[in-house]
Amino acid sequence: MKSLFKQKEFSILAIVLLISSILTFVSPVFLTVGNLLDLIEGNVVIGILAIGMTLIIITSDIDVSVAAVTTAVAVSISYLFGFLPDSWISVLLLFLFAPVIGLVMGLFNGLLVSKIEIPAIVVTLGTLNIIAGLVLYITNGNYVNSTSFPQSFLSFSNIEILGIPILIYLLAIVAVGTWFILKHTLIGRSVLAIGGNTQSSVRVGINYQRVKLFVFAYMGFLAGIAAIAQTAYTKAVDPNGMIGLELTVIAAVVLGGANIHGGRGSIHGTLLGVLLLAIMQNGMILARIDTYWQNVVTGAIIVIAVSYDQISYKRSQDKLANIEVEA
Amino acid sequence: MSDYILQMKNISKTFPGVKALDNVQLEVKKGEVHALIGENGAGKSTLIKILAGIHQPDPGAEFYFEGKDAEIKKPIDATLKGVSIIYQDLSLFPNLSVAENIYIGRDSGKKAWKKVNWKNIKRISEKALKELEVDVDINTKVEQLSIAQQQLIEIARAMAFESKLIVMDEPTSSLSSSEVEKLYRVVDKLSAQGISIIFISHKLKELFRLSDRFTVLRDGKYVGSYDVDTIDEAKLVNLMVGREVTYEKNQSQVKTGEVIFEVRDFSKSGNFKDISFQLREGEVLGITGLVGAGRTELAQSIFGINKKDQGSLEIHGEPVDIRSSEDAVKKGVAYVPEARQTQGLVLDQSIINNISLPVIDKLNNKFKFIDRKIEVEMAQQYIKSLDVRPSLPELPASKLSGGNQQKVVIGKWLSAQPKILIIDEPTNGIDIGAKTEIHKLLRRLANEGIGVIMISSELPEVLAVSDRILVMRNGKISGEMDVNQATQEKIMNYALGGNGKQHESVVIEKEKVSQEV
Amino acid sequence: MKLSKESILGLIALGTFLFMALLAPGFLSSNNINSMMFQIPEFGLLAIAMMVVIVTGGIDLSITYIAALAGVGAALMLTNGFGIFPAIIMAILFALACGAFNGFIVSKIGVSPILVTLGTMVLFEGVILAITKGSSISGFPDAYSLIGNGYYLGLVPFSIVIFAIFAIITGLLLSKTSWGRRVYMYGSNEVATLYSGVKNSKVLMKVYLYAALLAAISAIIMTSRYNSVKVDLGSSYLLQSVAAAVLGGTNIHGGYGKVIGTIYAVFVFQFIRNGLNLLGFHSSLVDVVIGSILILVLTMNFFSDKFKKKQEQKNASQAA
């Protein structure tokens, strides 16, 4: 039991609960099923992307191209709508095409990081420029709205099961699936292993390059799914709609306890991180805090979280290096 | 069926600029404990890395496993052949559990989406730990274990692999004597089960206790293989070194000059306790003891990097307060760390830039710019007086040999004109010729008035250089003596404490140093 | 003869210039040259600021928001009736405060720069939004707009002169002063500098302060040129400045980087942007080209390094 309280995820949960209870007092609306569902549904895209980013950060890399990749897939979806018949099959096909398009872009990042050994920040900065530029060029920055969407897709996005929107199920499937990969498959354990100690992983025969390739490809794959979620949620495709979202995603992952030093991070932690950011945003709206102050609070929380994490990391390192001194 | 589990023939390995291995061979019989010995730089670790599949040998190399032709291109090839390697710096994952660390690697090469069988992991890891008689919870994360425990986990991993051949690279270097005994029993047991072991160690006594055969390497070349009953320690040392080498014990008289440096009541919880000593003018003070006795921690505390809990310092009778390495340099305390390449030097930068680093502020001209002329002159002066070779001031420090790198680190500190120079394992990984040079240099500096404190595990070195010797054990000073009263046996008694095993260990340490010189 | 990385890049910049001069109509017209000269300083200053941080092995994702906040500082002074000089001082003070904040958390607490500046980027953006309520501040005195739009001796834009001065100062600081030396040494091996008595935190703090100062200068030029300031002032330069520093030869892991290389990279980017514009390419394609160049150059570096290593290996085995 003691170890549970020591876990980083636990302290994030405590903060989430603390803020929630404050908000419950501030606004009676906060703790209503409707508000909470809205809040979660509004963060499905960030959640899916953050789950992919968790794997990358565990291997102590970073991907700043996620928002651009997601937008690119969303734009592709809007073009696909022109070719696909208006039927349920098309929605299913979308779930095949979109992740594959994302996967290809992710593979490109992954190849450059793993085989060409260019630092991930530089690679993804480059692909961010390329992809975002191409998207703007092709779309001319034009917004596609729901009038051109097939009816089947619109009804898909309005599905509710047991009163819960379909997108929340989508997030849940991605979360459980990724958790399973991370916890129960060889490749998932390899992700944690190379994050923990790269040299050791090479020595025990883990194909380090393949794992790197996997995390970036998987990120692309999830970006494809996130693009469907984004399109379904906003019922529009906006080429400029997600600029800068990658930073929110990274912030959520870091808040959730993953560490850029590698080896640490979990799906439930990341989900808590997403939730924490979401609740703060929601709470500030409910508490009628001037929207312009919201970034100040979010930024301050990120800075405090990473500083706190670093301080406790240093402490734990200090404790490790002890000699048994005679009394 | 072949008698040999492993035969490696015609193994050469060329790195840019160096021929690390030249036509070396290694043959290990089934079930034997095979000692692989040689000095630092003889090529042992390169050979092992080739066996492990981390390095590729030059063309022409031949491998046979159980008499059959084999290829090792990647680590997994070695694993599949039943080879486990326990590196000295371990190959563990701090963020994973003990169980997973023991199990990891068994699935390498299998499909990425293969499901992990946690029950199997639990069963295998528990069995291995039980065999090894180690009492650790398999769910503990490895980062929470001590180094000795971590080493045992690594050995458990090799056992769990059911390997046919286990390579152990200095496995006892950070184990306590009871843990060492346990390891010996494990090795005996494994070889009784028909598992072959390649054992790398500097402790000759240990090798004679364990091994059936020896393979000796020298300067990247194969010297020979010998059965244990056809050879003795003296002959072995001779084969490794290729010549007789001994240091002469320092014959100097006890120094009675004034006290130039005093450490009083230094303590830091978990590091060291109640350390007090004095250093006299012209004196070299040797601090020795086992690895992990707190020597380096103490030195780093004096230097201001490792924050002490309490204690005070006096230099030339003046109390000084050192809270950071910057303070230390200002007050005239210099520290040459053991990890030359990571802590001592900025490898990518030139010799000049390294030498001037601590004093770069003092080389400003009237425009507040670095006076390059003075800087170059200063660097060249130290390159010359310390005989750094090649004497190319603009050469990156990474291109120098270990001995010359050490001279650059010393030069760096001489440029700061220190009153006190603390030097940690001054000749670690340095070849013989350069070692004696460094020893002479330290004596010279002491004669020139710099207080020298030398931390060393090599007893002949301690005896050859020091005027006075402090022995540390478990974070405390356990003995102090002048060099003319000191012997290796006496030092080891203090280092080990009153413990029945002391005599054997003394001899072990003695052998270690005599073969390393 | 062996050319340095920077000289090769200089030749590439020259090549790009000639290429565009040949291809793009009006590239060499005085109008066009002029407009490029007005655009280079603001971007160049941010790129140099980023380069200095990258030499320490860090990155400053908040740099453009520091610039925007500095711009807001200047704008507040100007619109409240203060003169140009107090406005400039205020811009610099705002920026230094941001730089000190980054520097404190990076150097004293030891958080990795990418995380710190990710947080402060959101934080500074928030502060700007809170001050400006999301709208722009505009309407500065004519004298102020001279900084970004005026000419020195009627020939060279003031902003280019300012840029040149700061480029030279940065070059001198990095290559000639003890601080600069320590920046490089820290970037190569921060543990060794610590063990050599270097106060790492002081070196780093100055780096973040200096980067912030350059951001402030860039902000002054930008606000003067646009005659207004908004939260996204210069934000499009963020990733481009990293790209320019890296293309300019700066080692993303720290320890190496030169002002001149970064300036050449800024030139290359500017020529490409401008030339493509004249050729009628969509402006968003410029980003595509810049991103592609970045990745291409690094990929070529990788293969040429590999080739060199192989050559060395070969020579070594032949010699042996």
Side-chain angles (χ1 to χ4, degrees):
Chain A
M1 227 18 217
K2 211 177 157 194
S3 65
L4 180 71
F5 290 103
K6 269 192 187 163
Q7 272 182 10
K8 215 193 292 181
E9 284 84 358
F10 184 81
S11 44
I12 308 161
L13 182 64
I15 296 171
V16 169
L17 291 177
L18 180 74
I19 296 181
S20 301
S21 45
I22 294 171
L23 287 176
T24 313
F25 279 108
V26 174
S27 162
V29 187
F30 177 75
L31 206 64
T32 57
V33 175
N35 183 50
L36 290 181
L37 286 180
D38 283 351
L39 185 145
I40 296 172
E41 194 185 10
N43 283 278
V44 164
V45 174
I46 292 179
I48 293 173
L49 294 176
I51 285 168
M53 189 69 80
T54 307
L55 267 56
I56 292 183
I57 290 186
I58 288 175
T59 66
S60 71
D61 263 334
I62 201 151
D63 183 349
V64 295
S65 73
V66 284
V69 171
T70 309
T71 307
V73 179
V75 168
S76 315
I77 289 174
S78 72
Y79 282 97
L80 280 174
F81 283 152
F83 297 101
L84 293 172
D86 187 357
S87 101
W88 284 105
I89 309 281
S90 303
V91 177
L92 285 179
L93 280 177
L94 214 53
F95 273 93
L96 179 69
F97 287 137
V100 169
I101 298 168
L103 183 77
V104 170
M105 289 188 252
L107 272 174
F108 183 66
N109 280 334
L111 279 174
L112 288 169
V113 173
S114 67
K115 304 280 181 203
I116 312 289
E117 294 166 21
I118 306 175
I121 176 93
V122 180
V123 167
T124 55
L125 207 56
T127 50
L128 161 62
N129 265 313
I130 295 172
I131 295 171
L134 281 175
V135 163
L136 280 182
Y137 176 70
I138 293 167
T139 62
N140 226 342
N142 289 334
Y143 191 91
V144 181
N145 64 23
S146 61
T147 50
S148 59
F149 284 15
Q151 198 53 46
S152 57
F153 186 76
L154 290 174
S155 34
F156 158 77
S157 54
N158 289 329
I159 294 176
E160 288 190 2
I161 301 167
L162 303 173
I164 298 172
I166 184 82
L167 293 184
I168 295 181
Y169 289 99
L170 189 62
L171 174 63
I173 292 169
V174 168
V176 172
T178 312
W179 170 81
F180 183 84
I181 292 172
L182 204 54
K183 175 78 188 173
H184 288 295
T185 69
L186 197 53
I187 187 85
R189 301 317 289 172
S190 305
V191 168
L192 282 160
I194 71 168
N197 187 334
T198 311
Q199 189 186 28
S200 298
S201 67
V202 172
R203 286 176 179 172
V204 301
I206 292 172
N207 188 336
Y208 162 82
Q209 293 191 336
R210 198 174 61 165
V211 177
K212 283 267 168 189
L213 189 62
F214 165 74
V215 291
F216 281 94
Y218 190 68
M219 176 80 255
F221 177 84
L222 290 188
I225 294 178
I228 299 176
Q230 172 78 1
T231 313
Y233 181 69
T234 59
K235 303 207 171 47
V237 173
D238 178 3
N240 293 306
M242 293 204 280
I243 290 175
L245 194 77
E246 63 274 1
L247 299 172
T248 315
V249 169
I250 295 167
V253 177
V254 171
L255 278 182
N259 192 296
I260 210 96
H261 298 302
R264 288 189 293 161
S266 64
I267 302 302
H268 55 286
T270 292
L271 289 178
L272 283 171
V274 174
L275 193 63
L276 180 58
L277 279 183
I279 288 178
M280 282 187 334
Q281 298 280 355
N282 187 256
M284 281 186 281
I285 294 168
L286 292 177
R288 301 222 172 73
I289 293 175
D290 194 336
T291 49
Y292 300 121
W293 283 99
Q294 289 176 13
N295 276 9
V296 177
V297 176
T298 311
I301 290 214
I302 297 171
V303 172
I304 291 166
V306 294
S307 301
Y308 174 80
D309 182 42
Q310 179 66 24
I311 291 165
S312 50
Y313 175 76
K314 263 197 233 164
R315 285 221 182 103
S316 70
Q317 291 292 309
D318 274 353
K319 267 191 202 150
L320 273 179
N322 273 3
I323 296 166
E324 283 170 34
V325 181
E326 283 186 345
Chain B
M1 251 338 232
S2 164
D3 282 349
Y4 290 98
I5 176 85
L6 169 74
Q7 290 161 288
M8 296 168 79
K9 289 176 184 167
N10 302 329
I11 307 290
S12 296
K13 176 70 189 172
T14 315
F15 292 113
V18 206
K19 187 134 197 173
L21 289 176
D22 188 2
N23 203 13
V24 166
Q25 66 179 74
L26 176 63
E27 296 185 319
V28 182
K29 286 180 186 159
K30 282 180 187 155
E32 78 172 352
V33 178
H34 193 107
L36 178 62
I37 58 173
E39 292 181 280
N40 286 331
K44 290 168 299 184
S45 48
T46 310
L47 185 63
I48 292 308
K49 280 182 180 153
I50 287 174
L51 172 61
I54 290 175
H55 287 330
Q56 289 305 307
D58 295 346
E62 295 169 50
F63 290 90
Y64 302 94
F65 277 91
E66 299 181 302
K68 284 193 282 276
D69 213 344
E71 271 199 330
I72 298 184
K73 294 226 172 282
K74 324 189 267 301
I76 185 69
D77 297 337
T79 310
L80 293 176
K81 293 272 179 300
V83 179
S84 271
I85 292 164
I86 302 173
Y87 294 93
Q88 199 180 355
D89 61 347
L90 306 183
S91 313
L92 296 171
F93 301 89
N95 57 332
L96 301 181
S97 69
V98 167
E100 208 173 351
N101 267 285
I102 291 174
Y103 181 85
I104 204 160
R106 295 172 77 94
D107 287 336
S108 289
K110 293 196 182 144
K111 284 218 172 70
W113 300 101
K114 183 182 174 309
K115 196 165 171 288
V116 173
N117 186 341
W118 287 105
K119 266 192 197 147
N120 199 24
I121 292 179
K122 181 170 182 286
R123 188 178 55 77
I124 285 174
S125 55
E126 271 173 349
K127 184 168 159 253
L129 287 177
K130 209 172 149 197
E131 245 176 87
L132 204 56
E133 297 164 49
V134 177
D135 186 27
V136 180
D137 178 6
I138 59 164
N139 295 315
T140 319
K141 282 192 178 171
V142 161
E143 63 194 353
Q144 286 159 351
L145 302 180
S146 70
I147 299 292
Q149 281 173 312
Q150 292 187 5
Q151 188 138 25
L152 293 170
I153 301 303
E154 181 97 32
I155 294 168
R157 180 195 287 165
M159 291 173 59
F161 257 111
E162 289 161 16
S163 305
K164 294 178 198 156
L165 173 64
I166 301 177
V167 182
M168 298 186 181
D169 189 359
E170 301 211 40
T172 58
S173 58
S174 51
L175 298 186
S176 73
S177 48
S178 69
E179 286 160 333
V180 165
E181 269 309 313
K182 202 184 275 177
L183 177 78
Y184 290 168
R185 285 201 300 273
V186 172
V187 170
D188 288 340
K189 197 164 142 191
L190 291 172
S191 75
Q193 288 171 9
I195 296 171
S196 311
I197 290 171
I198 298 175
F199 204 98
I200 300 173
S201 172
H202 284 291
K203 303 177 184 172
L204 291 193
K205 210 63 186 186
E206 160 174 298
L207 292 175
F208 274 95
R209 148 86 174 74
L210 292 170
S211 314
D212 302 307
R213 289 203 310 143
F214 291 83
T215 288
V216 183
L217 299 184
R218 186 173 69 225
D219 300 330
K221 293 195 177 75
Y222 175 74
V223 175
S225 294
Y226 310 89
D227 282 340
V228 65
D229 41 12
T230 63
I231 197 163
D232 60 24
E233 291 181 22
K235 200 172 158 201
L236 209 50
V237 171
N238 221 325
L239 288 169
M240 280 192 297
V241 181
R243 57 196 172 277
E244 300 279 349
V245 180
T246 45
Y247 291 140
E248 224 160 276
K249 191 167 155 180
N250 183 9
Q251 297 298 341
S252 76
Q253 291 305 303
V254 176
K255 297 287 189 293
T256 52
E258 63 166 318
V259 173
I260 56 172
F261 184 57
E262 182 160 5
V263 170
R264 234 179 265 137
D265 304 322
F266 256 56
S267 292
K268 175 176 170 112
S269 82
N271 280 205
F272 47 81
K273 199 162 183 258
D274 302 331
I275 306 285
S276 299
F277 61 84
Q278 294 179 332
L279 182 65
R280 290 178 187 277
E281 195 172 359
E283 191 179 49
V284 175
L285 177 67
I287 301 184
T288 187
L290 298 179
V291 173
R295 300 168 305 175
T296 295
E297 289 79 1
L298 171 65
Q300 295 188 345
S301 272
I302 295 172
F303 188 61
I305 282 182
N306 183 11
K307 218 172 135 201
K308 60 181 186 278
D309 293 341
Q310 62 170 61
S312 60
L313 292 175
E314 269 182 25
I315 297 176
H316 290 298
E318 303 236 342
V320 293
D321 187 21
I322 294 178
R323 291 160 187 274
S324 66
S325 56
E326 192 193 22
D327 289 349
V329 176
K330 274 190 194 142
K331 308 289 181 193
V333 177
Y335 172 63
V336 178
E338 181 183 359
R340 194 174 310 130
Q341 304 210 334
T342 53
Q343 300 176 340
L345 289 170
V346 183
L347 281 181
D348 293 338
Q349 302 273 350
S350 66
I351 297 175
I352 295 192
N353 287 6
N354 272 289
I355 288 181
S356 63
L357 184 56
V359 292
I360 197 73
D361 267 341
K362 294 180 189 146
L363 303 178
N364 285 346
N365 61 18
K366 60 186 176 197
F367 303 113
K368 288 277 174 200
F369 289 163
I370 298 167
D371 192 322
R372 189 69 183 165
K373 215 177 119 201
I374 295 183
E375 188 188 12
V376 173
E377 274 169 15
M378 183 188 79
Q380 267 166 344
Q381 175 201 328
Y382 290 113
I383 289 172
K384 205 172 150 200
S385 71
L386 299 173
D387 195 22
V388 177
R389 283 182 213 182
S391 59
L392 302 168
E394 296 290 351
L395 199 71
S398 56
K399 307 265 183 202
L400 296 173
S401 69
N404 283 299
Q405 285 181 344
Q406 187 69 305
K407 289 183 197 166
V408 174
V409 182
I410 294 172
K412 170 179 95 178
W413 284 122
L414 294 184
S415 78
Q417 300 176 325
K419 298 178 183 122
I420 310 299
L421 177 74
I422 308 171
I423 187 161
D424 200 344
E425 300 288 0
T427 59
N428 200 359
I430 289 176
D431 52 337
I432 304 155
K435 275 187 180 185
T436 33
E437 235 181 304
I438 302 263
H439 292 163
K440 276 187 199 143
L441 177 63
L442 292 177
R443 292 284 348 151
R444 193 182 94 200
L445 295 176
N447 291 335
E448 286 168 4
I450 297 174
V452 177
I453 298 174
M454 181 186 74
I455 297 171
S456 175
S457 305
E458 289 193 33
L459 296 189
E461 172 169 286
V462 172
L463 291 171
V465 182
S466 322
D467 296 301
R468 201 152 47 85
I469 298 162
L470 292 180
V471 186
M472 282 183 75
R473 179 166 62 95
N474 294 348
K476 296 182 85 173
I477 293 178
S478 59
E480 178 177 353
M481 65 203 95
D482 288 326
V483 70
N484 47 28
Q485 291 151 14
T487 61
Q488 297 198 10
E489 285 75 12
K490 208 166 155 188
I491 293 174
M492 283 315 293
N493 269 332
Y494 284 120
L496 292 165
N499 156 341
K501 296 267 179 283
Q502 52 184 276
H503 185 67
E504 190 192 358
S505 301
V506 169
V507 184
I508 287 169
E509 286 298 323
K510 207 163 118 187
E511 293 310 336
K512 174 186 174 182
V513 280
S514 63
Q515 63 95 341
E516 267 183 356
V517 289
Chain C
M1 200 180 80
K2 220 174 134 187
L3 286 173
S4 72
K5 253 203 257 195
E6 284 75 20
S7 320
I8 293 173
L9 193 64
L11 290 177
I12 292 175
L14 186 66
T16 322
F17 183 83
L18 294 175
F19 182 75
M20 289 301 176
L22 281 175
L23 240 67
F27 187 77
L28 286 177
S29 73
S30 65
N31 237 342
N32 190 52
I33 299 276
N34 235 328
S35 88
M36 283 201 288
M37 284 209 287
F38 278 109
Q39 282 161 11
I40 282 175
E42 56 195 46
F43 174 37
L45 284 165
L46 288 173
I48 292 175
M50 187 64 86
M51 185 272 288
V52 176
V53 179
I54 293 179
V55 169
T56 64
I59 196 164
D60 189 347
L61 297 176
S62 69
I63 194 90
T64 57
Y65 287 99
I66 294 178
L69 191 53
V72 168
L76 286 179
M77 296 299 277
L78 291 170
T79 49
N80 281 305
F82 286 91
I84 295 173
F85 191 64
I88 291 173
I89 297 293
M90 188 54 73
I92 291 173
L93 286 179
F94 268 43
L96 290 182
C98 296
F101 189 73
N102 280 336
F104 175 79
I105 296 174
V106 171
S107 70
K108 290 287 180 188
I109 301 183
V111 186
S112 72
I114 190 164
L115 294 182
V116 176
T117 56
L118 177 71
T120 55
M121 157 181 193
V122 180
L123 180 67
F124 299 155
E125 186 189 10
V127 173
I128 300 167
L129 283 172
I131 295 174
T132 64
K133 308 285 176 216
S135 52
S136 59
I137 307 176
S138 56
F140 309 141
D142 288 345
Y144 186 72
S145 72
L146 268 183
I147 301 171
N149 298 310
Y151 290 87
Y152 177 71
L153 299 177
L155 196 75
V156 193
F158 271 130
S159 53
I160 278 280
V161 177
I162 296 170
F163 173 56
I165 290 171
F166 276 95
I168 292 168
I169 290 176
T170 312
L172 289 176
L173 282 174
L174 284 181
S175 64
K176 300 277 184 213
T177 69
S178 51
W179 170 67
R181 177 68 64 77
R182 285 173 178 161
V183 169
Y184 286 114
M185 300 296 268
Y186 174 92
S188 289
N189 184 346
E190 60 193 89
V191 178
T193 54
L194 177 70
Y195 276 85
S196 303
V198 173
K199 194 150 199 176
N200 283 342
S201 55
K202 219 157 129 191
V203 175
L204 268 186
M205 179 57 110
K206 285 186 189 167
V207 164
Y208 285 90
L209 285 175
Y210 188 70
L213 172 73
L214 291 178
I217 306 299
S218 171
I220 291 164
I221 293 174
M222 283 190 282
T223 47
S224 156
R225 211 159 77 83
Y226 308 147
N227 198 29
S228 80
V229 59
K230 228 181 126 213
V231 66
D232 63 354
L233 182 78
S235 62
S236 63
Y237 289 132
L238 173 59
L239 300 179
Q240 286 186 27
S241 60
V242 179
V246 171
L247 184 67
T250 313
N251 184 341
I252 194 91
H253 302 299
Y256 186 85
K258 286 189 170 166
V259 173
I260 190 70
T262 308
I263 291 177
Y264 285 143
V266 166
F267 282 175
V268 170
F269 285 180
Q270 187 61 45
F271 297 153
I272 289 175
R273 186 196 328 268
N274 195 271
L276 290 182
N277 255 333
L278 291 174
L279 286 167
F281 282 90
H282 194 283
S283 65
S284 50
L285 280 182
V286 176
D287 286 341
V288 179
V289 174
I290 288 175
S292 309
I293 290 179
L294 183 66
I295 286 176
L296 258 168
V297 167
L298 291 171
T299 306
M300 278 168 9
N301 271 354
F302 171 78
F303 284 111
S304 79
D305 280 357
K306 211 173 174 181
F307 179 74
K308 258 187 231 158
K309 257 188 208 153
K310 256 199 187 141
Q311 258 344 70
E312 257 178 56
Q313 185 100 39
K314 220 174 167 183
N315 292 341
S317 9
Q318 275 167 0

